[in-house]
């Protein structure tokens, strides 16, 4: 079992704290459309790459900011609804990955733990140097070693 490391498992960061503004270059409405289109593409790819879910939310935030700046409140509201649904989905997956990691480590299922650490690292990559992310990076080596010797 991870022992004292459990405290780190409980001190995870929020994924979506930054506010992404509209770049304020050129036509705000067309920038909003472009950001919304990118968000839809990334949302579709989220099932295959967790980082795409994070990027999609960032594009939705940018689109909403651009639409609001352009006075296109209906479009801003539409994007907000899509963004809120995706945030809920990503946060649910994030919580599941954390729980799966804890269970895998407690049950010494090292290959499963390794999969969850990789998923969590992809979801948290945009956060930079956070205590939890650093703990994941430090833990991956010992878990990979245990996974290779237990198979």
């Amino acid at each position: 079992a991870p022992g004292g490391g459990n405290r780190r498992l409980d001190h995870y960061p929020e994924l979506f704290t930054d506010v992404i503004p509209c770049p304020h270059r050129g036509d705000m409405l067309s920038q909003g459309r472009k950001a919304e289109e990118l968000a839809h593409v990334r949302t579709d790819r989220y099932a295959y790459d967790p980082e795409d879910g994070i990027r999609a939310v960032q594009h939705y935030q940018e689109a909403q900011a651009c639409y609001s700046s352009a006075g296109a409140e209906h479009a801003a509201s539409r994007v907000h609804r899509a963004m809120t649904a995706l945030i809920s989905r990503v946060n649910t997956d994030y919580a599941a990955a954390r729980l799966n990691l804890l269970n895998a480590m407690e049950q010494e299922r090292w290959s499963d733990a390794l999969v969850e650490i990789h998923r969590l690292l992809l979801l948290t990559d945009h956060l930079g140097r956070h205590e939890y992310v650093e703990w994941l990076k430090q833990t991956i080596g010992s878990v990979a070693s245990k996974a290779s010797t237990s198979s």
Side-chain angles (χ1 to χ4, degrees):
N6 271 349
R7 190 184 78 68
R8 291 249 171 69
L9 290 171
D10 295 336
H11 289 82
Y12 56 88
E14 294 295 320
L15 295 178
F16 306 107
T17 57
D18 293 339
V19 176
I20 309 295
C22 185
H24 294 294
R25 293 184 314 267
D27 178 23
M28 302 284 181
L29 197 55
S30 65
Q31 286 182 11
R33 285 187 194 116
K34 181 180 177 188
E36 183 179 8
E37 184 178 314
L38 288 170
H40 289 310
V41 169
R42 295 281 187 157
T43 298
D44 289 344
R45 290 196 34 74
Y46 171 60
Y48 308 103
D49 184 349
E51 283 182 301
D52 280 326
I54 303 298
R55 302 292 175 250
V57 169
Q58 293 169 337
H59 287 303
Y60 278 131
Q61 288 175 326
E62 181 181 328
Q64 183 180 6
C66 290
Y67 284 145
S68 292
S69 294
E73 291 308 317
H74 180 69
S77 178
R78 177 187 66 239
V79 166
H80 179 77
R81 286 190 304 274
M83 178 179 67
T84 300
L86 182 59
I87 287 172
S88 176
R89 181 177 162 199
V90 171
N91 279 331
T92 298
D93 292 346
Y94 181 45
R98 293 190 319 268
L99 181 59
N100 291 341
L101 174 59
L102 177 63
N103 288 335
M105 290 180 75
E106 286 177 350
Q107 296 169 13
E108 297 184 2
R109 291 183 290 112
W110 303 117
S111 294
D112 293 340
L114 193 58
V115 168
E116 298 306 330
I117 289 173
H118 281 291
R119 183 183 332 275
L120 289 165
L121 284 170
L122 290 171
L123 286 168
T124 57
D125 184 59
H126 70 288
L127 299 173
R129 296 184 60 94
H130 182 280
E131 177 186 13
Y132 181 76
V133 177
E134 294 302 313
W135 177 81
L136 288 170
K137 289 176 181 177
Q138 290 169 0
T139 305
I140 197 168
S142 65
V143 169
S145 174
K146 290 173 183 177
S148 70
T149 59
S150 68
S151 10

